[in-house]
Amino acid sequence: MLRTESAGTDREGRPLQPRAENFGPGKYLRAFRLLHNWIEDNLDIYKPELERVQWPIFVHSLLGLANGHFQRDGEVFFNTYKWMFTPEHDDELRQLETMREPEQTAESPVAQRFQGSKYRLSLTSVAYFNLLQFLESKERQGGSVIIHILQTYCSIITVSRSTAEAQNLAAVIQRAARDRGMPAEDEGIPGHHPGSANTSENAPAVLPRLKLGPLPMEPELMIDVQIELEEEDAKNPPREGQNSLVEEFEKYIKQEPNDDAPSRTDVPLPPSKQRDVDMEVQKVKEHRDRFRIEGRTGGVAPAVSIVMYTFHSTYDRINCLDFSDDNTMVAAGTSDSYIRVWSMDGSVLPCIKPPGPNEPPPSSTRQLIGHAGPVFAVSFSPSAANPDPKEGYLPTTPRYLLSSSADKSVRLWSVDLWHCLMIYKGHDDPVWDVTWGPFGHYFLTGGRDKVARLWSTKHASYLRMFVGHEADVDTVCFHPNCAYVLTGSSDKTVRMWSVTTGNAVRLFTGHTANLTSMACSPDGKTLASADEYGVILLWDLASGRRIKRMRGHGKGGIWALSWSVESTVLVSCGHDGTVRVWNVALTNNDAPATTASSHVQHQQQSLSALANAMTINEASTNATQPATGAAGAAAGQATTAAAAAQSSSTPSGTAAEAATAAAGVTGTTGAGKRKKDRGVVVTPDQISAFPTKQSPVYKVKFTRMNLVIAGGAFRP
C-alpha cells in the first residue's frame, strides 16, 4: 500500500511531473510544439538561425512515429507542421507525406539519408547555449526528446559573430529576414565547409586554390593576330579618342602567363589556324566597338536593349533554343525528335554541297533528322561575325551544331553540309544538356544517369567522367579558361570540377529546388546559378562563398542566364515569360526587397531601356527592322538586330500576325500594365523586367557587342 501511494512522488514526498517520454507517440508532438513556441517568442536576432533547427527535428520525429507503427499520430503530426517547411522542402515533404510504416522508411531515399548521416547546422554561440539551457530547463515537458534527436542525428557547429555584426544588430536582423527560407551554405547532409567539395567531418576548412585567370594565348597565334590588327589599323585608322585595335588588344585581350592562370599544357588544344586568327581579330574589333555597360551610376540603371524572337505555330513542341555567336542562325530542338535551323536575317542558309535531285532547294531554314527521341539541348560551335571575309579563307561562321536527346546520344552536325558527322554514346539515360567549350574542340554533357562527361570532337568516347551528384545532372557549363567545368543537379547542388584531374574542387549548396541553368562570368570570378523556383544565386568561385540571392521570376524555372562583357550585368529568362536584367554589383544590404507591384513603380521612374520584339512564324516569312534603344544602336554596327525565318510547314498565318511585337518597359505591355503575381518578391538588384504576352522565353544571350538576344515560343 505504501509503495502504491508513493509511486508518483519524489524522495521528499512531492508529486512527480510526468515526463514527455511517458506519453508514447504524443511525445514528439509535445516536444516539437514546445520548441516551436519558444523559437517564435525568441529575439529577432536569433530567431532565423534557430528556425533552421526545426527541419531535422521535424523529419526525425516523423521517422520515429513511422518506425513505431503510429500511423494516425504520424499523419496528425505531419499535417500540423508541414506548412512551416514549404516551399523550401517541397520535394522532401512529398516523399514524407506517405511514410507511415517502417518498411516505407527503409525504402525511402530521404529517410535513408537522414538516418545514415548527421544533419549539419551552424549556430552562433549565444543562440546555441540559449537553446541548450531552455531544453534542459524543460526536460520533462519535451526538452529531453529534442536533446536526444540533436545529439544522435545532428552535428551543430558553433560560430562567433564578427565584431562588425555585433555592432550593427539592425543589419543582422535585416539580412536574416532577407535570407529566411534559404539554407546556409554549410547546412545539410552530410554538410561541408562553405564551398568545399570535401564532405568529410575532418575535412580542412582551407579550400584548394583555383586558377581562374584567362588561358594564355598561343604565342604564334598572338603574333599573327597582332600583325592582322596592325594592317587593319593602317587601312581604317581609329577615330579621335578611340583606341587602335593594337592598343585594345594589348590592354584588354592580350594576357601574359601568370600564377592565377592555367597553362596551355593543363588544357591541350589543337594548333591554331587562319580561321582562329580571323576570329580573334573580330573579337578585338567587337570588344572595342561594343556598347559599354558600366553598371548603375547616379541611381540610373544602365540601358539594355533586347531583341526578342518569337516562334509561332509551334504547338508547344520546342524544347530548347540556341543562337550562334555570329548572330546569323538560331536552332530549335523539338519534342518531335528533329532540329530546325533558321537564318536570322531571312537569307539562304549556306551549304558547300549543291542540292541533289531529291533534296529541297536552298532556303532560309533547314531540318536535321536523326534523333530517336525528343531533343533537349542544342549548341552552336564558337564563331564570330566577319562582315569582310578574306577570299580563300574559311569563314568564321559556326561549323558545327551539337544536340542531345532522350535517345541517350549526342549528335554532331555539320553546318556546312547539314548532315550528321558523329554520334557520341556513353550516357545510360537521356542527356539533358550539352554545351561547347569556349575554344571549341571540347564539349560537356549531363544526363539523368547523374553523371557529366567531357568529350572531344575527335574522339568517339568521352575523355572524363564527373561523378558525385545524387540526382540528374540538369545543366552544365564551362569556366571561361576551359580548365574547369560546372554542373547543376536535381540534388539542388552545384559542383565545380577540374578538367585536368576530374576531381571536384568546389561544392555550392543553398538552392531549394532543382537547378535549371548556370552561367560563369566572362572574368571567371563569379558563377550565377538558377533554379525552378525562380531564384538566382551568385557565387564567388575563389572563396566558395555565396554572394547574394536575387529574386523576381515566378515559378516554373529560369531557363537561361547570360553575362555582359564587363561581368557587371546579368540577364535571365524563363517560364514566366519575362526577360529580367540584374545589377550584379548591387549588394542585398543596399536596399530592402519589394513586392512586384512596388518594384514596377520604382522601375518606371528610373529605367531607360527598351525591349524590341521580332517574331519567327513557322507559317510565314516576314522581316521587320526593330527600333533599337541606345544599346542596340551602338551594337548594331557589327550585330544583326533584325531577323525572319521561313518554315516548310503549310502557310497559315498573315503578315500582321507574324509582325506582332511584344515590347515591355518596366513591367508594362502596350498601353496597360501587366498584372504580376503579388506573391513574387522582387529584390532591389533587378534593373528591369521585360514581359512577353504569352511566350515562355527559352534562351537569352548577351552578344559581344552587349546587345541582348532572346527567343521564345508563343502559347495561345
Side-chain angles (χ1 to χ4, degrees):
M1 179 65 69
L2 292 176
R3 292 176 182 174
T4 303
E5 291 178 352
S6 62
T9 61
D10 59 12
R11 293 179 179 179
E12 299 179 0
R14 292 175 298 188
L16 293 174
Q17 296 294 329
R19 297 179 65 90
E21 292 89 336
N22 300 330
F23 289 101
K27 65 181 180 181
Y28 293 108
L29 189 61
R30 288 172 176 266
F32 194 87
R33 184 189 302 119
L34 175 74
L35 176 66
H36 175 65
N37 292 339
W38 177 75
I39 292 176
E40 287 299 309
D41 295 336
N42 218 298
L43 296 176
D44 289 342
I45 191 174
Y46 302 123
K47 186 184 297 184
E49 57 180 311
L50 291 172
E51 287 176 341
R52 309 302 308 175
V53 179
Q54 296 179 112
W55 169 243
I57 301 296
F58 172 82
V59 174
H60 284 290
S61 299
L62 192 63
L63 294 178
L65 292 170
N67 291 328
H69 297 276
F70 301 112
Q71 299 182 13
R72 178 59 183 167
D73 298 276
E75 183 177 353
V76 172
F77 180 80
F78 180 83
N79 292 330
T80 303
Y81 292 110
K82 67 178 182 180
W83 61 270
M84 297 170 50
F85 308 106
T86 57
E88 180 181 344
H89 298 288
D90 278 346
D91 294 338
E92 292 92 339
L93 289 174
R94 279 192 290 268
Q95 299 182 51
L96 294 172
E97 187 172 10
T98 58
M99 197 178 302
R100 299 292 180 265
E101 295 288 343
E103 294 79 9
Q104 294 173 325
T105 61
E107 298 175 356
S108 170
V110 175
Q112 292 177 5
R113 190 167 72 250
F114 273 84
Q115 292 177 334
S117 303
K118 288 190 174 183
Y119 193 96
R120 173 168 171 152
L121 287 165
S122 293
L123 296 176
T124 57
S125 301
V126 176
Y128 176 64
F129 291 124
N130 284 343
L131 173 64
L132 286 184
Q133 184 178 13
F134 169 76
L135 294 177
E136 291 174 352
S137 66
K138 300 292 182 180
E139 183 179 359
R140 293 182 178 274
Q141 291 88 340
S144 60
V145 177
I146 304 298
I147 291 176
H148 172 72
I149 294 177
L150 292 177
Q151 290 178 341
T152 309
Y153 299 109
C154 295
S155 174
I156 298 180
I157 309 299
T158 57
V159 296
S160 300
R161 291 195 192 277
S162 64
T163 305
E165 288 181 333
Q167 294 175 353
N168 191 354
L169 297 182
V172 174
I173 296 174
Q174 180 182 353
R175 183 173 61 256
R178 184 189 66 243
D179 294 340
R180 178 169 293 181
M182 182 172 59
E185 298 170 75
D186 60 345
E187 179 181 336
I189 295 176
H192 63 104
H193 295 290
S196 174
N198 189 343
T199 57
S200 172
E201 293 185 2
N202 301 321
V206 180
L207 301 181
R209 183 172 176 271
L210 302 181
K211 296 181 178 181
L212 302 177
L215 186 69
M217 186 176 290
E218 186 181 359
E220 294 81 2
L221 177 61
M222 186 181 300
I223 295 174
D224 293 340
V225 170
Q226 194 153 2
I227 293 174
E228 293 280 348
L229 294 176
E230 291 173 355
E231 295 178 359
E232 288 290 333
D233 283 334
K235 291 193 301 183
N236 301 304
R239 301 188 303 270
E240 184 178 355
Q242 185 183 42
N243 288 341
S244 66
L245 294 176
V246 174
E247 291 174 341
E248 190 76 15
F249 179 66
E250 294 285 345
K251 187 175 181 181
Y252 296 105
I253 306 298
K254 184 179 178 180
Q255 297 288 340
E256 299 295 339
N258 58 71
D259 295 337
D260 191 40
S263 65
R264 296 192 66 85
T265 57
D266 296 335
V267 186
L269 293 171
S272 59
K273 301 179 181 179
Q274 182 60 40
R275 183 177 186 273
D276 300 310
V277 176
D278 294 340
M279 287 182 60
E280 292 299 327
V281 169
Q282 183 60 29
K283 289 178 183 178
V284 175
K285 293 180 180 179
E286 292 176 342
H287 194 274
R288 184 191 65 177
D289 300 335
R290 75 186 190 280
F291 174 73
R292 300 179 185 274
I293 301 178
E294 304 298 343
R296 186 186 296 269
T297 56
V300 179
V304 177
S305 287
I306 302 175
V307 178
M308 176 72 188
Y309 294 85
T310 303
F311 292 76
H312 284 254
S313 304
T314 63
Y315 305 104
D316 203 21
R317 294 194 302 264
I318 291 181
N319 292 333
C320 54
L321 289 174
D322 191 37
F323 296 97
S324 61
D325 290 341
D326 64 346
N327 312 308
T328 60
M329 287 181 283
V330 56
T334 69
S335 57
D336 294 334
S337 308
Y338 69 87
I339 304 158
R340 184 169 289 280
V341 182
W342 289 271
S343 169
M344 293 175 64
D345 60 1
S347 61
V348 174
L349 290 173
C351 181
I352 61 176
K353 178 184 176 182
N358 298 325
E359 296 181 357
S363 66
S364 61
T365 181
R366 287 275 184 168
Q367 192 176 34
L368 303 176
I369 300 175
H371 281 293
V375 179
F376 296 125
V378 290
S379 180
F380 281 105
S381 61
S383 59
N386 193 353
D388 187 23
K390 295 182 179 181
E391 186 176 355
Y393 292 112
L394 289 174
T396 58
T397 54
R399 299 190 61 191
Y400 305 109
L401 175 70
L402 285 168
S403 60
S404 64
S405 169
D407 62 8
K408 311 176 187 178
S409 72
V410 176
R411 286 179 176 257
L412 178 69
W413 306 86
S414 170
V415 181
D416 298 326
L417 299 172
W418 302 106
H419 288 298
C420 180
L421 300 178
M422 182 79 76
I423 302 176
Y424 302 95
K425 295 183 178 181
H427 284 276
D428 300 325
D429 286 297
V431 186
W432 299 132
D433 197 16
V434 61
T435 186
W436 283 96
F439 306 104
H441 189 65
Y442 297 108
F443 63 92
L444 184 66
T445 59
R448 199 173 69 179
D449 55 4
K450 308 176 186 179
V451 177
R453 287 174 166 85
L454 180 72
W455 309 75
S456 170
T457 54
K458 295 184 178 181
H459 297 83
S461 60
Y462 52 85
L463 306 178
R464 285 277 189 275
M465 287 180 61
F466 304 107
V467 183
H469 284 291
E470 299 177 358
D472 302 23
V473 178
D474 298 314
T475 177
V476 296
C477 73
F478 276 88
H479 188 271
N481 64 16
C482 205
Y484 304 97
V485 297
L486 298 112
T487 57
S489 170
S490 295
D491 64 8
K492 305 174 187 177
T493 66
V494 177
R495 292 176 184 262
M496 186 176 184
W497 312 81
S498 169
V499 169
T500 306
T501 63
N503 297 328
V505 294
R506 292 288 187 273
L507 172 62
F508 304 106
T509 58
H511 283 282
T512 59
N514 299 344
L515 274 293
T516 53
S517 61
M518 295 186 303
C520 194
S521 61
D523 61 11
K525 299 178 180 179
T526 311
L527 173 71
S529 58
D531 60 37
E532 63 183 8
Y533 282 171
V535 175
I536 301 173
L537 298 182
L538 296 184
W539 308 91
D540 185 330
L541 295 179
S543 65
R545 303 306 296 261
R546 183 173 59 215
I547 300 174
K548 63 176 177 177
R549 174 173 64 167
M550 303 187 297
R551 290 179 292 173
H553 280 281
K555 285 189 176 182
I558 296 175
W559 294 339
L561 299 167
S562 184
W563 292 82
S564 65
V565 176
E566 298 83 1
S567 301
T568 57
V569 172
L570 182 76
V571 291
S572 61
C573 67
H575 179 267
D576 62 354
T578 64
V579 176
R580 297 176 186 265
V581 185
W582 307 89
N583 187 354
V584 176
L586 181 67
T587 62
N588 282 334
N589 293 331
D590 294 340
T594 62
T595 60
S597 57
S598 62
H599 191 72
V600 167
Q601 297 175 0
H602 170 72
Q603 290 179 2
Q604 288 174 340
Q605 298 173 359
S606 63
L607 180 67
S608 59
L610 293 176
N612 307 283
M614 283 291 296
T615 61
I616 295 183
N617 194 319
E618 276 201 324
S620 59
T621 304
N622 297 279
T624 305
Q625 178 68 36
T628 58
Q637 298 176 10
T639 305
T640 302
Q646 180 180 4
S647 173
S648 58
S649 57
T650 305
S652 60
T654 63
E657 293 172 342
T660 301
V665 181
T666 64
T668 63
T669 55
K673 295 182 180 179
R674 181 180 178 86
K675 294 182 180 179
K676 289 183 176 288
D677 183 6
R678 294 185 178 180
V680 177
V681 176
V682 180
T683 51
D685 32 34
Q686 178 178 297
I687 296 173
S688 53
F690 301 95
T692 61
K693 291 182 178 179
Q694 298 184 52
S695 302
V697 187
Y698 295 97
K699 182 70 176 180
V700 66
K701 180 178 182 179
F702 260 112
T703 69
R704 296 192 188 99
M705 299 290 287
N706 271 341
L707 171 69
V708 179
I709 301 178
F714 179 74
R715 291 181 179 176

